[in-house]
Amino acid sequence: MKISIERATLLKALAQAQSVVERRNTIPILANVLIEAEGNTVSFRATDLDIEVVDRAPAMVERAGATTVSAVMLHEIIRKLPDGALVALTEDAATGRLTIAAGKSTFSLATLPREDFPVMATSEYSSNFAAPAPVLRRLFDKAKFAISTEETRYYLNGVYMHVSTGDVGAVLRCVATDGHRLARIDAPLPEGAQGMPGVIVPRKTVNELKKLLDDDSAEIAVSVSETKVRFATPLITLTSKVIDGTFPDYTRVIPTGNTRRLEVDATEFAKAVDRVATVSSERSRAVKLSLDEDRLILSVNAPDSGAAEEELAVAYGDERLEIGFNAKYLLEIASQVDRENAVFLFNSSGDPTLMREGNDMSAVYVVMPMRV
């Protein structure tokens, strides 16, 4: 195999591939990226056996072929080469080495045979549809903060993507929860997604997906089966196993009868919570909200470290209420608001609280209170 490729193109393709590779590997081949050159395209394939990413890039292919080489090391070498360099990759099958040459720099890396590289089994996808990158980005970005990190409840370690019924008819919905907070995000149902099976997309896949969704003009081809999900652009294909489990019935925990309505500037609210939470004890991080007519007092009282209080002008017309929350949860939920105002709907100090952006029901968040 012998190819020439521009540094920036190569670096972009390798960046996605090497981020999938697990740093601690017991199987040496999994630390490698599979490089395949054919026609005028070179593809880079990396996997951790749960996720597989294939990145394609244009290149001058003098001699077609394939080999595998350390993903992280190759990425580091290319990253440190000067901008605008033309990189030549040459494989010598006899010595089992890949030579990387650019300008006056030459590197030689050990390779492993391509036959040993595990390629993810192809799957029959029961549902195929296309969605604009910004739509998918919003669905996953707004939901992912609520993904649970508890390994025991593995079925909460991802985002539940499924078809549901929203206020405006059928929607594509993403839900994540860790038992303390919940995010439910809706988007108009893309054509062809009607019969899609509900799948739990793992946390790592959600993070890797972010790189595919950077381009606002891109259309993402989404394919879903009971066991796998695939997201593809013309140059990148990301295939992942889904979490084998049943996502709980989240509709039961979304309150419908909360009537006490607080409207507050989301940015000002987040800044105020952050300020008063500075003195809270690390363990509880509790912030108390005291609501009275058109005013909100945020307070923290940590006997071992100090106390803080801040008053905000808000829109609130119901009876007096005192309720406590974990500051981290409040900050994460407030930071999801794109518009100016966040609307909180309370019931009592012991019941779940609902938050949304203005009157928009396509993004709904629930947070459990805590005793303060």
Side-chain angles (χ1 to χ4, degrees), residues 9 228 303:
T9 311
K228 284 201 188 91

Side-chain angles (χ1 to χ4, degrees), residues 9 33 110 128 138 144 166 203 241 243 251 255 290 300 308 313-314 369:
T9 311
V33 58
N128 297 282
R138 174 179 172 273
K144 71 180 181 188
R203 187 195 306 108
K241 291 178 181 172
I243 293 173
T251 53
S290 307
V300 168
V314 296

Side-chain angles (χ1 to χ4, degrees), residues 101-133:
K104 293 183 178 176
S105 310
T106 311
F107 305 84
S108 175
L109 297 182
T111 62
L112 286 172
R114 62 146 323 160
E115 293 74 30
D116 296 352
F117 194 86
V119 174
M120 201 178 259
T122 52
S123 173
E124 282 296 312
Y125 293 101
S126 57
S127 185
N128 297 282
F129 60 92

